[in-house]
């Protein structure tokens, strides 16, 4: 059984429409180049290394996470999975305090 290679999460940006709406995180990452790539999963939670929510986003390389609570820090990682269901290890973790008006999150690939 062959596992696909890990990849790198490269950017994170946060947008907030108004103070009345929950925050939004827009994540993007470098595409995996494995021939048998089937898609990606976004894992996130409110403590580092503890990802309680998972979204299967298919084969896209940018995804918007909605309904995040203002004033809360969220932690994000991405995994890739192949056509046999094998899943990669986590990407580098990025985090963002929701509701901040900065240009992006912390983290990034190397």
């Amino acid at each position: 059984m062959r596992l696909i290679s890990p990849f790198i999460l490269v950017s994170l940006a946060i947008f907030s429409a108004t103070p009345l709406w929950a925050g939004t995180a827009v994540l993007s990452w470098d595409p995996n180049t494995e021939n048998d790539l089937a898609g990606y999963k976004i894992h996130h939670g409110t403590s580092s290394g503890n990802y309680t929510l998972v979204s299967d986003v298919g084969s896209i390389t940018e995804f918007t996470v909605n309904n995040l609570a203002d004033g809360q820090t969220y932690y994000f990682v991405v995994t890739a999975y192949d056509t046999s269901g094998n899943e990669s290890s986590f990407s580098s973790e990025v985090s963002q305090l929701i509701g901040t008006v900065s240009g992006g999150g912390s983290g990034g690939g190397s």
Side-chain angles (χ1 to χ4, degrees):
M1 182 182 312
R2 184 174 71 96
L3 291 178
I4 55 181
S5 302
F7 53 93
I8 304 298
L9 185 65
V10 293
S11 67
L12 172 69
I14 301 298
F15 303 96
S16 183
T18 69
L20 300 175
W21 297 96
T24 300
V26 179
L27 296 96
S28 62
W29 54 94
D30 291 332
N32 187 294
T33 58
E34 298 289 333
N35 291 334
D36 59 348
L37 175 72
Y40 302 98
K41 293 180 183 179
I42 303 291
H43 305 257
H44 72 280
T46 56
S47 63
S48 180
N50 185 22
Y51 314 113
T52 56
L53 299 170
V54 179
S55 298
D56 186 331
V57 300
S59 61
I60 60 174
T61 58
E62 181 174 298
F63 183 73
T64 301
V65 181
N66 294 306
N67 301 317
L68 302 174
D70 285 336
Q72 177 69 56
T73 299
Y74 287 87
Y75 300 84
F76 302 90
V77 294
V78 178
T79 57
Y81 60 92
D82 65 18
T83 54
S84 297
N86 300 311
E87 192 168 352
S88 73
S89 57
F90 291 145
S91 67
S92 299
E93 180 181 84
V94 295
S95 64
Q96 180 64 44
L97 174 60
I98 301 302
T100 62
V101 188
S102 67
S106 62
S110 59

